[in-house]
C-alpha cells in the first residue's frame, strides 16, 4: 500500500480589487511584469486580473501613452543610475555620489511637481522632518540639495522589502502555519543577493519565536520610531505597510514623511483648510473627517491597522468604492483577528484592536504607550489594554443601527418602569457630582501648591542636567543624553496641558521655555523653535485678552519668550523674523521701564536683544550699524551692573571692528577681554560660560594677528583657543555650538600653520577638523552653519595638501564638494555677500588644483567663475576688505599660472580687471611684489600695455 501524497497548501486568495490595486501601484516601475507575477501567484484570478488591467490601459489610465517623466542624468554631486520607486510626490533613484564614490538613494521631486508650490512645500517638509531626526528606525539622510530649482535629498540605500510586499509574499502560506523564521527566509529570498545567513544580531531577536511574536516585534520597533518622531513634534500621518521597510540586516525603517507635519495644527499650512491627506484604508476616522487638532493617535491607528494586516494577511477595511471604504473605516467594524488567524493570542488581539479603535480616546494615548504594551506582551507580562466592555459594544451597536437600538431601549425601559428608574439614576448622579465638586474644592489649593513646587524642583534639576560639565563627561555622556530625553518627555507633557487653571498657567508656560532649552541641548533646533513659536502665539493672545492688571506680567513673560524665540531663529539663519522678534521684545521692555519692578534687569534684557541684533547686522555685512549698536550697549551697561554682559558686548564690538578691517582699534579691546576672562578662569576653572567667552576672544585675537601677519602670535592664541574648544566639546558632547567652535578654530589654526610652512601640522589639523565636520553634517544635515563649516574645512584641507603631488586628485575632489555646498548656500534666499565670497574663493582654489592636475582648460573655467562670483559679492558689499583680498588672491594666482604658461595676453586681461578699482589694484600688487624683480618688471610692462590698449 502506497502512502497518500500530502495535500497541497491552498493560497488564501485576496479579492480581485486588491490585486488590481497592487498592479496599479507597481505599474509605473514594473509595467506588465507586475501583472505576470501576480497572475502566477494567484492563477485562479489571473484571467480576471488581466481583463481589468486591459480596461485600465484602454481608458488611458495605464500604459505607455502616459507622458514620460524626464529626470536629469545628474543632480548636483549625484549621478542618477536607476529609478527605484515613484510615488505621488517624488521619485527615488539609486545614485552615485561623485565626490565620495558611494551609492545612495536620491529622492527627487517628481518632474510634473517641480513648479507646484504646494508640492515643493510638501517635499521640503518631508526633507525637514527626516533630516531633523536621528533614529535607528528612520533612514539616515546624508545631504540635502537643490540643483537649478530641482530639490533633492540623499539618504542611505536600503536593501530590503516593504511590509506590503512582504505580506503578499507570505500569502503563499496561511498565517497560522507561519513562524518568525519564515519572515527571515522570505526576506533572504526576495532581497537581491540575500541568503539566510545574511542577517544576525538584532535580526535573530526580531525573527525568533512564533509568527505573531515576530509581527509584534516589527510593530514595536515602528511604535518606538513614531514615539521618537512625536517627541520631536512630527506626525507621520501616513503609516501603512508600504511605508515600512525591513532591510536584510533586520532593521525596521519608517519611510515617506511626505505627509508629515508639526503636531501644532496652526503650523500646517498645507492642511489648514481641512483637506484630507493619507491612505483611506489606514486613515484614522478623525483624520478622515479633517478634524483639527489631531495628534499622535492617528499614527497609532495607522500602525494598529498595519499590525492587523500582518497578523491576518488581509486588509482591515475593503470597499468597492471610495465612499464604501470611507463608510467602513468610520464604522470601525472589522473581523476579529482570531477568526482569520486562530493562533493569535488574546493579548495580541486586544493590543491590535485597542490601537485601531475608531474613537481616538479609546486608543493608546501615545505611540510610546502602544510600544510599552507590545513589550509587555512579548515579555509575557500583563498588558495594560483591556477588551471593550458590554456597555461599549452596545453603544457601538446603537451607533451603527440607531432605529433598532432605540426600539430595544424603549421596550426595556417600559418593562422595568422607566420613569422610576430614570429618577433614581438622576438622584444618584447628582449626589456623586456634588461630592466630587466638594472634594475638588478641598484639594485644589494643595494641588496647585504641589504642582508649582514640583515644576520648580524639576526645572532646577533639568537646567542643572543641561549645563553641568561633570555630568557630561566620559562614561556619563550617554546617561546625560538619556536623562535629557526623559526630561524632554516630561516637559512636553507639561507644555501640552490644554486650558490650564490661571493659578498654574505661569508655571506651565515656564515649562515651554525649559522644554525649548532641552531641545536645543539635544540639537533639535526645529523642535525648540516649534515650542517657542507656540508659546509666543499663546502669550500674544493672552495679552490681548488680559485686563490692565494682568497685562504687565504677561508682557514681561512675552518679552522673555520673544528673546529666546529669536535666538533659535538666528541659529537657523532666519534673520528677518529674528530681528522682528528682538525688536518687539525691546519695544515691550522699553514701554515697561517706568513701572518695572527691577529696571536694571529690564535694561539688561534690552541690551541682550540689541547685542543679538548687532550680531545679525554684522553677519549681514552692515558693520557700521553693528558697531554703533555695540557702542550704545556698552555705554548703557555701565548702569546695569552686568559684568558678563559687558564682556560679551566688548567681544562682539571687537569682532565688528575686525570685520570692518579696523584691526588696530580691535586689538586693545580683545586683549582686555582675554585678560579679564583669564582672571576669571584662574578663579573658577569650571565656569563653562567663561570658557566659551575666553575661547571666542582668543580665536578672534589669533585671527586678528593673522591678518596683521604676526603669525607666531596668531598661532599662540589660536592654539589656546583650540585647546579650550576641545575641552568644551569633551565636556558637552551634545552642544552643536561647541563643536562648531572647535572646527572653526582648527580651520584658522590649519591656515596659520600652512602660512608658516608647517604643512605636516596643517594637514593633521585640517583632517581632524574634517572628521568632526563630517560627523556634524550627518547628525545636523538641516543646519546651514554646519554645511558651511564642512565646505570651509574641505577647502582648508585641500590647501594644506595641495602642493603634494600624491594628493592632487584628493584636493580637487575636496574642492569640488566644497564648491557644490557653497553654491547651494549662495543660492538660498538668506544668502549674504560673504556666502558669495566663500564660493568665489573656493572656485579660485579649484582653479589652482585643476591646473596642478594638468587640466588647464577646466582651470581657466573655474578661474572665470571665481572672478564673476567675487565681482557679484563686491557689488553687494563694495567696501568689504575680505572680498577685496580674496579677489586679489584669485587674480594673483591666475597671473602666476598665465606667466608659467607664457600666456601674456591672459596676464594683461587679469591685470586689467583690477586696474579700475584702486583698492583692489593696490591689494593685487601687494601680493605680486613678493616675486623676483625681473618678474615684477615684466608684469609692470604688461600692465602698461594693458592700460594703453
Amino acid at each position: 500500500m502506497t502512502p497518500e501524497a500530502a495535500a497541497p497548501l491552498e493560497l488564501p486568495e485576496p479579492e480581485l480589487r486588491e490585486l488590481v490595486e497592487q498592479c496599479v501601484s507597481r505599474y509605473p516601475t514594473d509595467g506588465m511584469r507586475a501583472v505576470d507575477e501576480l497572475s502566477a501567484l494567484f492563477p485562479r484570478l489571473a484571467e480576471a486580473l488581466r481583463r481589468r488591467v486591459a480596461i485600465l490601459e484602454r481608458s488611458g489610465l495605464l500604459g505607455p501613452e502616459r507622458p514620460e517623466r524626464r529626470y536629469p542624468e545628474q543632480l548636483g554631486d549625484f549621478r542618477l543610475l536607476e529609478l527605484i520607486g515613484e510615488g505621488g510626490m517624488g521619485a527615488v533613484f539609486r545614485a552615485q555620489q561623485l565626490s565620495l564614490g558611494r551609492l545612495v538613494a536620491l529622492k527627487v521631486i517628481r518632474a510634473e511637481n517641480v513648479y507646484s508650490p504646494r508640492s515643493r512645500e510638501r517635499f521640503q517638509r518631508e526633507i525637514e522632518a527626516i533630516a531633523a531626526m536621528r533614529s535607528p528606525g528612520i533612514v539616515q539622510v546624508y545631504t540635502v540639495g537643490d540643483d537649478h530649482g530641482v530639490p533633492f535629498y540623499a539618504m542611505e540605500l536600503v536593501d530590503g522589502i516593504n511590509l506590503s510586499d512582504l505580506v503578499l509574499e507570505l500569502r503563499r502560506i496561511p498565517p497560522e502555519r507561519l513562524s518568525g523564521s519564515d519572515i527571515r527566509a522570505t526576506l533572504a529570498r526576495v532581497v537581491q543577493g540575500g541568503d539566510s545567513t545574511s542577517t544576525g544580531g538584532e535580526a535573530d531577536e526580531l525573527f525568533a519565536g512564533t509568527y505573531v511574536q515576530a509581527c509584534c516585534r516589527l510593530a514595536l520597533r515602528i511604535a518606538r520610531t513614531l514615539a521618537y518622531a512625536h517627541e520631536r513634534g512630527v506626525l507621520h500621518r501616513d503609516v501603512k505597510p508600504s511605508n515600512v521597510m525591513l532591510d536584510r540586516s533586520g532593521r525596521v525603517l519608517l519611510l515617506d514623511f511626505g505627509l508629515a507635519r508639526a503636531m501644532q495644527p496652526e503650523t500646517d499650512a498645507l492642511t489648514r483648510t481641512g483637506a484630507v491627506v493619507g491612505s483611506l484604508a489606514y486613515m484614522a476616522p478623525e483624520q478622515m473627517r479633517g478634524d483639527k487638532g489631531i495628534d499622535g493617535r492617528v499614527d497609532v491607528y495607522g500602525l494598529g491597522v498595519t499590525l492587523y494586516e500582518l497578523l491576518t494577511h488581509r486588509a482591515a477595511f475593503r470597499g468597492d468604492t471610495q465612499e464604501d471604504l470611507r463608510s467602513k473605516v468610520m464604522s470601525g467594524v472589522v473581523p476579529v483577528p482570531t477568526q482569520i488567524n486562530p493562533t493569535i493570542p488574546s493579548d495580541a488581539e486586544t493590543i491590535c484592536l485597542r490601537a485601531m479603535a475608531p474613537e481616538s480616546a479609546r486608543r493608546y494615548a501615545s505611540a510610546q504607550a502602544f510600544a510599552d504594551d507590545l513589550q509587555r506582551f512579548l515579555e509575557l507580562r500583563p498588558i495594560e489594554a483591556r477588551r471593550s466592555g458590554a456597555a461599549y459594544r452596545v453603544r457601538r451597536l446603537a451607533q451603527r443601527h440607531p432605529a433598532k437600538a432605540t426600539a430595544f431601549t424603549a421596550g426595556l425601559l417600559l418593562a422595568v418602569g422607566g420613569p422610576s428608574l430614570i429618577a433614581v439614576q438622576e438622584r444618584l448622579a447628582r449626589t456623586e457630582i456634588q461630592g466630587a465638586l466638594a472634594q475638588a474644592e478641598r484639594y485644589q489649593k494643595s494641588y496647585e501648591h504641589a504642582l508649582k513646587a514640583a515644576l520648580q524642583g524639576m526645572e532646577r534639576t533639568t537646567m542643572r542636567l543641561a549645563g553641568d560639565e561633570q555630568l557630561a563627561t566620559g562614561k556619563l555622556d550617554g546617561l546625560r543624553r538619556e536623562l535629557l530625553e526623559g526630561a524632554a518627555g516630561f516637559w512636553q507633557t507639561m507644555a501640552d496641558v490644554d486650558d490650564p487653571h490661571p493659578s498654574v498657567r505661569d508655571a506651565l508656560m515656564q515649562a515651554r521655555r525649559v522644554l525649548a532649552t532641552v531641545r536645543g541641548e539635544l540639537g533639535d533646533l526645529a523642535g525648540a523653535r516649534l515650542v517657542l513659536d507656540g508659546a509666543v502665539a499663546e502669550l500674544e493672545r493672552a495679552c490681548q485678552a488680559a485686563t490692565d492688571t494682568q497685562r504687565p506680567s504677561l508682557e514681561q513673560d512675552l518679552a522673555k519668550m520673544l528673546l529666546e524665540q529669536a535666538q533659535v531663529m538666528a541659529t537657523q539663519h532666519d534673520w528677518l523674523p529674528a530681528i522682528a522678534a528682538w525688536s518687539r521684545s525691546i519695544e515691550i521692555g522699553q514701554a515697561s521701564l517706568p513701572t518695572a519692578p527691577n529696571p536694571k534687569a529690564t535694561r539688561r534684557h534690552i541690551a541682550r536683544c540689541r547685542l543679538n541684533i548687532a550680531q545679525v547686522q554684522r553677519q549681514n555685512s552692515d558693520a557700521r550699524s553693528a558697531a554703533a549698536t555695540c557702542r550704545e550697549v556698552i555705554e548703557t551697561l555701565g548702569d546695569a551692573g552686568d559684568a558678563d554682559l559687558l564682556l560679551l558686548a566688548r567681544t562682539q564690538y571687537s569682532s565688528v571692528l575686525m570685520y570692518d578691517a579696523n584691526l588696530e582699534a580691535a586689538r586693545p579691546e580683545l586683549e582686555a577681554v582675554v585678560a579679564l576672562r583669564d582672571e576669571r578662569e584662574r578663579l573658577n576653572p569650571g565656569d563653562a560660560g567663561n570658557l566659551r567667552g575666553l575661547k571666542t576672544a582668543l580665536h578672534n585675537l589669533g585671527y586678528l594677528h593673522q591678518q596683521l601677519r604676526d603669525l607666531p602670535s596668531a598661532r599662540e592664541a589660536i592654539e589656546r583657543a583650540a585647546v579650550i574648544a576641545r575641552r568644551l566639546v569633551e565636556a558637552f558632547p551634545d552642544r552643536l555650538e561647541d563643536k562648531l567652535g572647535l572646527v572653526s578654530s582648527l580651520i584658522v589654526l590649519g591656515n596659520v600653520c600652512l602660512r608658516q610652512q608647517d604643512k605636516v601640522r596643517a594637514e593633521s589639523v585640517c583632517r581632524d577638523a574634517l572628521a568632526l565636520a563630517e560627523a556634524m553634517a550627518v547628525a545636523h544635515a538641516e543646519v546651514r552653519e554646519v554645511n558651511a563649516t564642512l565646505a570651509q574645512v574641505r577647502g582648508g584641507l585641500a590647501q594644506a595638501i595641495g602642493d603634494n603631488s600624491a594628493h592632487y586628485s584628493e584636493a580637487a575632489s575636496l574642492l569640488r564638494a566644497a564648491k557644490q555646498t557653497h553654491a547651494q548656500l549662495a543660492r538660498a534666499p538668506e544668502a549674504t555677500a560673504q556666502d558669495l565670497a566663500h564660493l568665489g574663493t573656493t572656485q579660485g582654489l579649484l582653479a589652482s588644483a585643476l591646473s596642478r592636475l594638468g587640466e588647464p582648460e577646466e582651470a581657466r573655467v573655474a578661474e572665470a567663475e571665481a572672478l564673476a562670483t567675487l565681482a557679484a559679492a563686491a557689488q553687494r558689499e563694495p567696501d568689504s576688505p575680505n572680498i577685496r583680498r580674496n579677489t586679489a588672491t584669485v587674480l594673483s594666482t591666475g597671473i602666476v599660472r598665465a606667466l608659467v604658461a607664457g600666456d601674456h595676453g591672459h596676464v594683461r586681461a587679469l591685470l586689467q580687471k583690477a586696474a579700475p578699482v584702486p583698492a583692489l589694484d593696490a591689494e593685487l600688487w601687494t601680493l605680486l611684489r613678493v616675486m623676483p624683480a625681473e618678474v615684477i618688471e615684466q608684469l609692470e610692462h604688461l600692465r602698461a600695455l594693458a592700460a594703453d590698449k
Side-chain angles (χ1 to χ4, degrees), residues 406-586:
T406 301
F408 174 81
T409 304
L412 179 63
L413 288 175
L414 287 173
V416 299
S420 299
L421 178 61
I422 292 172
V424 171
Q425 289 178 330
E426 284 183 348
R427 284 198 299 273
L428 290 173
R430 189 162 49 247
T431 301
E432 290 180 2
I433 291 171
Q434 289 173 347
L437 287 173
Q439 185 180 29
E441 289 174 0
R442 287 195 303 271
Y443 291 147
Q444 180 177 331
K445 289 188 177 180
S446 59
Y447 156 75
E448 292 171 1
H449 176 75
L451 178 61
K452 289 180 180 178
L455 289 175
Q456 289 171 359
M458 185 64 181
E459 180 185 349
R460 287 193 297 271
T461 302
T462 303
M463 300 310 286
R464 168 80 184 277
L465 179 64
D468 190 286
E469 180 175 353
Q470 298 303 317
L471 188 59
T473 57
K475 295 180 180 179
L476 292 180
D477 170 34
L479 173 62
R480 173 178 179 267
R481 185 172 185 87
E482 183 179 342
L483 291 173
L484 280 172
E485 293 280 7
F490 169 82
W491 290 109
Q492 185 73 62
T493 302
M494 294 296 101
D496 287 344
V497 172
D498 291 327
D499 194 22
H501 191 277
S503 59
V504 297
R505 184 179 288 118
D506 290 346
L508 293 178
M509 186 58 67
Q510 177 65 11
R512 299 193 181 192
R513 297 176 64 189
V514 179
L515 174 61
T517 299
V518 174
R519 291 277 184 228
E521 285 292 325
L522 292 171
D524 182 11
L525 294 176
R529 179 165 176 179
L530 201 63
V531 172
L532 292 168
D533 287 350
V536 166
E538 186 174 325
L539 281 168
E540 290 278 16
R541 290 192 295 268
C543 287
Q544 291 175 2
T547 65
D548 291 341
T549 305
Q550 296 169 330
R551 190 170 292 110
S553 175
L554 287 169
E555 287 183 338
Q556 184 179 11
D557 289 340
L558 175 59
K560 294 177 182 176
M561 203 70 75
L562 283 165
L563 170 61
E564 296 181 23
Q565 178 197 39
Q567 287 170 333
V568 173
M569 289 173 172
T571 304
Q572 295 177 311
H573 285 225
D574 204 354
W575 307 122
L576 292 179
I579 291 176
W582 280 317
S583 300
R584 171 88 170 106
S585 189
I586 291 171

Side-chain angles (χ1 to χ4, degrees), residues 695 718-728 730 742 745:
K695 183 267 171 191
I718 206 67
E719 288 273 19
R720 279 196 65 197
V723 168
I724 294 172
R726 198 177 297 278
R727 176 179 166 189
L728 286 167
E730 290 170 354
L742 172 57
S745 291

Side-chain angles (χ1 to χ4, degrees), residues 186-253:
T186 301
L187 176 64
R189 175 169 51 81
V190 172
V191 175
Q192 198 171 40
D195 58 75
S196 60
T197 62
S198 64
T199 55
E202 282 193 349
D204 290 336
E205 177 192 351
L206 180 66
F207 302 128
T210 69
Y211 177 69
V212 172
Q213 288 172 331
C215 291
C216 288
R217 288 193 194 95
L218 287 170
L220 171 61
R221 298 193 184 184
I222 305 166
R224 285 174 175 165
T225 300
L226 286 171
Y228 173 91
H230 293 171
E231 285 178 4
R232 282 147 186 80
V234 176
L235 290 180
H236 189 282
R237 298 199 300 170
D238 199 20
V239 179
K240 57 184 179 182
S242 61
N243 279 341
V244 179
M245 178 74 79
L246 177 61
D247 80 359
R248 64 185 300 174
S249 68
R251 284 195 306 164
V252 184
L253 299 162

